[in-house]
Amino acid sequence: MRNKQPHIVMIIARGEAVRNFLYSDTLPALCQHARVTLLTVLHDEKFVARFGPLVDRIVPLKDYPEHRLVKVLRELILMAHYRWIWTEKVKNKWDLLDMQAKTPWQKLRNRIYKCLAVLFAHRWGLNFLAFIEYHLSLLLNPTDEFDALFSDDLPDLVFNASHIHAPRGELPVRVAHRMGIPTATFVFSWDNLSSRGRILPRYDDFLVWHQGMKAELLDLYRMVTPDRVHITGTPQFDYHFKPKFHLSNEELAAKIDLDPSRPFVLYTTGMERDFPQEVQHVRTVIEILREIAADKRPQLVVRTYVKGNSPEMEALAVEMKDSPDVIFPPVLWDATWFMPQYEDLAIYTSLLKHCLFGINPASTVSLELMMFGKPVMNIGFDPPGSDLPQCLGWQRHIGFDHYQPVAQSGGVRVAYSVEDMRAIIFKFWENGNPLFDHQKTFLEENFGTTLDGGSGKRAADVLLELANGKNVTS
């Protein structure tokens, strides 16, 4: 007799999905009312020991290289989708492709794709290409593993925990959809719809951060109906609202070698590919802070970006190793899968909570600092001494479609020169947070009531409803 509990397959195709849906309340809540199979790229001994007792089964998610024809078609769809949405970030990517093409063949290839992309850069053209891609990818399916897996124990729902950055998670979704199994996914980040490729696997339902993302998704994909897009918030923010992840200042200091008697400024770096020569900005911040008298000077904590740190930044960390004023704490992530270790969740949350103010180029960290009522400075000028082409310039990030509302909200200050940077740093150091009211308004207007630590549980509730075949209202 079939188990009365629904069977949910969760696809974990990237490390950050572990943070969002396994460390959070989602998996424990699901396991109370459903049988869960994890189809996952992570399946080492430590992973199995932690999550194995919660789930029915852990199945390794292998990488099956797909037919070259399918890859070429997807590249064309990517370019056509870019040309259709034509956002500021996409325009920048368009220029970067030309700059990065080094050989005559690469340049010719870019030109061919760009010319073809223009022909299909409209709804009908993209829907036609997506139709061909769907059937071609199944016709040239490189494995029957997922057919066998789903036939052996038919799922009631297949949930891809990240719709982007993890191609190996898409093939099982395509197979599930062909078999008539309900499918769902989570739109991973706030900028993905305006800056990433087209969503090609056929999902029945989508989980998103907030109403703005829902409206954007519905505008881009007219075949999706409003009742199929569910606002849950994002579980990555849940940890900021749970006291058990709030270390005391002394506990935090002990973990990252801070002086607990001194305040600190938090600088979170970006990916080197997107923010070239950032080490010069960090050096400038260090010099500005040194203008403050030693007995009042805050420490600087530089949290480097695990996905793209530069050799120059690593060299600066070594140079500052014995400095009492600058700390480069280790970032506790798995470098292979970009998965945060569980203990890093409390460290990161506590850095946000206890810092005087935060500095970052233009990232999600700005939103997180706002959640703690901390002043935020973004950087909108190129590093001192650099000579970057326009398509690599720092100011472009401030104007990207997803970030421009943040920059214009009054909840952050943008430095457009070293003089701006110095003035903003001193104002934050002397006057606390003059941006608080604007930050509160921005978060309320964009996130509503989802910043409450309950996004993981809401996601679980939606998935359980879908697995039970019920209509979900959002």
Side-chain angles (χ1 to χ4, degrees):
M1 179 178 292
R2 183 177 174 85
N3 194 311
K4 292 183 179 180
Q5 288 189 324
H7 177 208
I8 298 174
V9 172
M10 293 184 68
I11 301 173
I12 305 297
R14 60 183 297 190
E16 287 144 315
V18 174
R19 173 198 62 196
N20 285 354
F21 294 105
L22 303 190
Y23 288 157
S24 75
D25 293 335
T26 302
L27 182 62
L30 286 179
C31 292
Q32 291 181 19
H33 305 286
R35 295 186 299 116
V36 177
T37 294
L38 295 181
L39 184 55
T40 171
V41 295
L42 295 113
H43 45 77
D44 59 24
E45 184 177 337
K46 185 176 180 181
F47 183 91
V48 172
R50 182 179 183 91
F51 299 111
L54 295 176
V55 301
D56 268 26
R57 189 179 178 190
I58 294 177
V59 180
L61 178 58
K62 303 172 186 175
D63 185 20
Y64 293 99
E66 295 191 87
H67 196 281
R68 181 168 178 79
L69 185 58
V70 174
K71 293 180 179 179
V72 169
L73 179 57
R74 287 182 189 155
E75 187 70 18
L76 174 58
I77 295 172
L78 172 72
M79 297 297 287
H81 184 77
Y82 279 170
R83 194 63 183 84
W84 176 55
I85 63 175
W86 209 231
T87 60
E88 291 303 314
K89 189 162 186 176
V90 162
K91 292 175 187 176
N92 184 244
K93 287 186 174 185
W94 204 260
D95 292 338
L96 283 171
L97 282 173
D98 291 334
M99 189 198 76
Q100 293 165 351
K102 304 300 183 183
T103 68
W105 164 241
Q106 289 173 336
K107 293 177 182 178
L108 177 61
R109 181 176 178 274
N110 283 351
R111 182 169 296 183
I112 292 171
Y113 272 120
K114 286 186 175 184
C115 290
L116 290 174
V118 172
L119 298 177
F120 292 95
H122 46 80
R123 289 188 192 278
W124 186 89
L126 284 163
N127 288 338
F128 173 73
L129 290 178
F131 175 84
I132 299 298
E133 185 275 343
Y134 173 77
H135 290 282
L136 188 65
S137 63
L138 289 173
L139 178 66
L140 301 175
N141 187 345
T143 178
D144 60 0
E145 176 183 333
F146 302 115
D147 300 77
L149 176 66
F150 297 152
S151 297
D152 180 59
D153 188 1
L154 191 69
D156 296 284
L157 179 70
V158 172
F159 172 61
N160 188 359
S162 178
H163 86 290
I164 200 74
H165 299 316
R168 71 172 67 186
E170 296 183 353
L171 181 56
V173 173
R174 290 183 171 92
V175 172
H177 186 273
R178 179 177 53 76
M179 295 176 68
I181 300 167
T183 58
T185 193
F186 175 67
V187 181
F188 175 74
S189 189
W190 59 323
D191 68 331
N192 290 165
L193 295 173
S194 64
S195 66
R196 304 295 180 182
R198 192 165 187 81
I199 300 175
L200 290 173
R202 297 189 179 182
Y203 295 106
D204 298 302
D205 290 85
F206 299 83
L207 280 62
V208 299
W209 288 23
H210 52 58
Q211 180 60 43
M213 288 176 67
K214 178 174 182 175
E216 190 175 8
L217 179 68
L218 292 173
D219 182 57
L220 289 174
Y221 302 92
R222 295 286 174 83
M223 72 291 289
V224 180
T225 57
D227 60 309
R228 293 296 191 175
V229 185
H230 314 285
I231 299 171
T232 60
T234 176
Q236 76 185 72
F237 295 153
D238 281 0
Y239 308 103
H240 303 334
F241 299 92
K242 292 180 176 293
K244 70 177 181 178
F245 294 99
H246 293 191
L247 304 174
S248 69
N249 189 56
E250 291 71 21
E251 291 171 326
L252 175 64
K255 287 184 177 293
I256 65 171
D257 201 25
L258 275 172
D259 180 347
S261 68
R262 296 174 61 188
F264 68 91
V265 174
L266 177 63
Y267 188 120
T268 49
T269 69
M271 186 181 292
E272 165 67 8
R273 181 187 66 199
D274 295 329
F275 299 97
Q277 301 182 41
E278 185 171 13
V279 67
Q280 299 305 325
H281 277 316
V282 176
R283 287 187 179 279
T284 301
V285 171
I286 291 171
E287 292 304 315
I288 291 172
L289 291 176
R290 282 175 176 167
E291 296 173 16
I292 300 173
D295 62 331
K296 299 179 180 179
R297 183 184 307 152
Q299 300 165 100
L300 178 66
V301 175
V302 182
R303 182 176 165 96
T304 53
Y305 192 55
V306 68
K307 293 183 182 180
N309 197 18
S310 69
E312 293 79 12
M313 194 71 74
E314 292 174 357
L316 179 61
V318 173
E319 179 185 333
M320 295 292 166
K321 184 177 180 180
D322 297 321
S323 170
D325 295 329
V326 184
I327 296 93
F328 280 78
V331 182
L332 305 181
W333 281 52
D334 180 289
T336 302
W337 300 110
F338 301 125
M339 180 188 75
Q341 297 177 25
Y342 187 76
E343 63 180 306
D344 187 68
L345 301 173
I347 291 173
Y348 179 54
T349 287
S350 301
L351 284 170
L352 297 168
K353 178 181 179 180
H354 292 296
C355 70
L356 278 178
F357 58 88
I359 303 171
N360 68 86
S363 75
T364 308
V365 183
S366 295
L367 304 180
E368 296 174 296
L369 288 162
M370 287 186 187
M371 294 172 200
F372 283 95
K374 301 295 182 177
V376 185
M377 182 177 75
N378 297 143
I379 303 174
F381 67 101
D382 294 347
S386 65
D387 185 20
L388 301 175
Q390 184 176 353
C391 60
L392 288 177
W394 280 52
Q395 189 169 347
R396 63 199 162 110
H397 295 273
I398 305 300
F400 285 163
D401 299 69
H402 72 286
Y403 204 81
Q404 194 172 60
V406 179
Q408 296 176 344
S409 70
V412 303
R413 289 285 183 268
V414 181
Y416 291 104
S417 67
V418 173
E419 291 73 23
D420 281 354
M421 181 181 280
R422 177 178 287 103
I424 294 169
I425 286 174
F426 273 86
K427 185 168 186 177
F428 288 169
W429 174 64
E430 294 169 349
N431 300 326
N433 188 7
L435 316 176
F436 180 81
D437 290 341
H438 293 291
Q439 293 175 342
K440 185 172 183 291
T441 298
F442 178 83
L443 293 176
E444 288 176 350
E445 290 178 349
N446 284 273
F447 288 91
T449 59
T450 64
L451 298 178
D452 59 355
S455 294
K457 178 62 166 58
R458 278 189 293 274
D461 291 343
V462 169
L463 296 177
L464 286 168
E465 293 288 295
L466 296 176
N468 282 302
K470 298 179 181 178
N471 293 325
V472 182
T473 57
S474 297

